[in-house]
Amino acid sequence: MNQDDYFFCGIGGSGMLPLAMIVQARGGRIEGSDRSRDQGRTPEKFAWLEAHGVTLHPQDGSGVTRADQTVVATGAIEDTVPDISAAKRAGARIVTRPELLSQLFNAAPVSIGVAGTSGKSTITGMIAWILHRAGHEPTVMNGAVMKNFADADHPFASALIGGPDLFVSEVDESDGSIARYDPTVAVVSNISLDHKSMEELRDLFGGFTGRAAKAVLNLDNLETQALAQTLPADKVITFALGEEPATLNAHDLEPLPTGMRFTLTELDGTKHAVTLNVPGAHNVANALAALGAVRAVGVPLTDAVAALETFAGIRRRMEVVGTANDITIIDDFAHNPDKIAATLKTLHAFDGRLLILFQPHGFGPLRLMQTEFIDGFAGLMREDDVLLMPEPVYFGGTTDRSVGSEDIAAGVRAAGRTAEALATREACGDRLMELARPGDRIIVMGARDDTLSVFAVALLDRLSCPLTD
């Protein structure tokens, strides 16, 4: 990549920031804007970007003035955003984030694309760590911070800057952009209803795996199992928990307080003892997916298993914020029914009431998956668990707001569990302080809002000094 000028609209976003860092490392000059910066949210993130050579502008179009700038927008960008209308006036090239990312991805001689309804960020992080430990110097694009690569100078380590020959990326089906990627290795963790109809998803994932040299697929999910049967046997690496005859099989799963232990069996009967420092059966499945992917690019399984034992996890994936007065705060990205189910199952492997704060990431998902949300919470909450929901994140714009948090809470109550919808997140925080007692675990769930982590830390502070509250 040459000394081109790039302007990232929404540069603080989880998908934008790492891409900007990769483009900068390849010689691009980076400018950008972000509505969160203009509103004073997460100032430390924008200070870090400026300290790393990124010029920031208000999101009012004033930073886009030249035809030689390439303006990078999210896939769902609207012409009403001032930076986009300024780009059109200036004659600047406009590309979407998925367009730019897929161009970099497809240019690499070897590429690993990680797709699926849930688990993508963790699998991508696991692959990144294994390849890094194996000396492969991958370039990695993740949608979340990889703890193994985070340090004082890289607090937002959602990208790993490596060489141009091996590119690993999380790939999104929700906007259809998965169709742009031509992977050497296609990983699909699972397929379930999320943002698109099942028919659309089958087409998208089928094309994605069809274009790959190797596909790594989960036999425990009916949709990915069906996908595996459509591909030539020599092209597929399969994985499963339990009895399903797969290339990689995990059994004898043993939950640990902060991780999992299991036996990995290859198709030829070779066994490996594996210990993970991330909890839950879903993370065993994620580990198998990662092992299948690195195996496809030549990393010996024994080396990969050894690397996985020091995988530290992904930020906001069941991340323990801290404990005060014997009450533990957990910060978690779960935002769709599958992810919520995985989190609740994992937490219920150990004793303690759950106080769940779930902030929906939009009105659209609530409307699309109302029944699944209600069934998921009602089916997995225990009698003494409590669900609290503020209204969905809403930053303006036109959207159908006909289904809100009270609709979900009412459905959960009708099924015999305790659920409350409150007007604001702050009100939920006050209610949590009223409810919390020693032995409880408070879990803060939600996506697409960096301030949830700040909120979780504030809850811990309030628990630490309740007398001054």
Side-chain angles (χ1 to χ4, degrees), residues 431-453:
R431 185 77 177 112
L432 286 169
M433 291 302 112
E434 291 171 13
L435 291 167
R437 58 177 189 247
D440 286 348
R441 289 162 296 165
I442 296 175
I443 178 147
V444 176
M445 281 184 177
R448 296 185 190 163
D449 182 354
D450 289 347
T451 65
L452 278 166
S453 295

Side-chain angles (χ1 to χ4, degrees), residues 92-154:
R93 185 169 73 110
I94 302 171
V95 297
T96 65
R97 187 195 77 86
E99 280 179 284
L100 179 58
L101 175 57
S102 61
Q103 286 165 15
L104 297 173
F105 180 92
N106 292 339
V110 178
S111 57
I112 301 174
V114 182
T117 309
S118 50
K120 292 189 288 288
S121 297
T122 299
I123 295 166
T124 302
M126 287 175 165
I127 292 169
W129 184 237
I130 294 167
L131 292 174
H132 173 76
R133 289 295 297 267
H136 284 264
E137 295 189 6
T139 290
V140 182
M141 169 76 196
N142 203 335
V145 173
M146 299 174 280
K147 290 188 189 178
N148 286 99
F149 301 109
D151 57 30
D153 194 45
H154 302 91

